[in-house]
Amino acid sequence: MRILYTVISVVLIFAGYILHKTILTDSATLNLFSYIGTLATLIALLVTICETIISIKKTESVQQEVKNVLEKINTIEKTSSISDCLTLIDETNKFVMSEDYDRALQSFQFFRKICTKTSLELKENSENEKPNTINNLEHTLQKATATTTRAGLNKKQKTDILNALLDIKTTLESNNPAKRN
């Protein structure tokens, strides 16, 4: 489109240069010159309209590219957050295994903060799981901090905590965008 209006403009300039003596000496040719001036104005209008259309198309293309880049950035951020959450779940698991419930609770609460900050959704995997598994798990860890090494959690309670942590970890891993791409 730009080439077309550039060629037309050059042809009109060339014609005006060749005919300038003829146009200025005769009244009829002066009218013709006015006519050509009108055509030049129309060409300028055409150029303006075409440039506006080209700019609009470029802007739409840039907007789409920016949208794609932002989606990739969000995916990277979500992947990073999930990685941090998985690390904290592993850390919580390790502390539960060593019966260090204060540190387990601390790691788990930090895990929750990251999930909340990054808006990670932890949906339950099946209908058999209790709703609010995360709330129940944190509550259990809070109770466990009141125990002593001698009177710690029994094997079933400890297994329930470890299973809940594993379920959360599995859910996080299944939501990880890095595994889908």
Side-chain angles (χ1 to χ4, degrees):
M1 186 166 275
R2 285 182 178 163
I3 294 172
L4 176 66
Y5 72 73
T6 302
V7 169
I8 292 172
S9 298
V10 168
V11 168
L12 287 175
I13 291 169
F14 183 70
Y17 179 73
I18 292 174
L19 302 173
H20 79 281
K21 288 183 182 175
T22 311
I23 292 170
L24 296 177
T25 57
D26 187 20
S27 173
T29 54
L30 187 57
N31 288 338
L32 180 62
F33 180 73
S34 295
Y35 176 73
I36 292 174
T38 303
L39 287 178
T41 304
L42 289 175
I43 289 171
L45 178 63
L46 173 69
V47 168
T48 304
I49 291 171
C50 291
E51 283 299 321
T52 303
I53 292 170
I54 290 169
S55 294
I56 290 171
K57 288 182 181 181
K58 281 185 179 179
T59 301
E60 289 172 353
S61 173
V62 168
Q63 284 176 338
Q64 185 60 38
E65 189 63 31
V66 167
K67 183 179 175 184
N68 292 341
V69 168
L70 287 175
E71 286 175 2
K72 288 177 184 177
I73 289 171
N74 287 337
T75 300
I76 290 168
E77 286 180 0
K78 184 174 181 181
T79 302
S80 175
S81 295
I82 287 176
S83 176
D84 292 342
C85 287
L86 289 171
T87 300
L88 288 166
I89 290 293
D90 287 339
E91 195 174 89
T92 304
N93 192 21
K94 180 181 83 174
F95 291 136
V96 169
M97 293 293 288
S98 65
E99 296 184 358
D100 186 352
Y101 299 114
D102 289 327
R103 290 176 74 187
L105 177 61
Q106 186 180 23
S107 291
F108 191 75
Q109 287 173 334
F110 190 55
F111 155 79
R112 273 190 93 156
K113 284 179 188 176
I114 290 177
C115 285
T116 303
K117 266 186 183 177
T118 57
S119 303
L120 290 176
E121 293 181 26
L122 295 176
K123 297 177 182 166
E124 307 300 331
N125 285 334
S126 68
E127 294 174 13
N128 298 333
E129 289 183 312
K130 296 177 186 176
N132 302 322
T133 301
I134 294 175
N135 292 339
N136 293 338
L137 181 56
E138 185 170 356
H139 186 66
T140 304
L141 287 171
Q142 287 171 341
K143 285 182 190 176
T145 60
T147 63
T148 62
T149 311
R150 290 183 180 198
L153 297 177
N154 63 39
K155 187 174 182 176
K156 182 186 179 332
Q157 290 172 317
K158 198 172 174 181
T159 303
D160 288 345
I161 290 173
L162 294 174
N163 284 337
L165 287 170
L166 185 60
D167 288 342
I168 292 169
K169 185 176 179 179
T170 302
T171 302
L172 280 171
E173 288 172 339
S174 67
N175 288 328
N176 193 343
K179 284 195 170 188
R180 285 187 238 141
N181 294 335

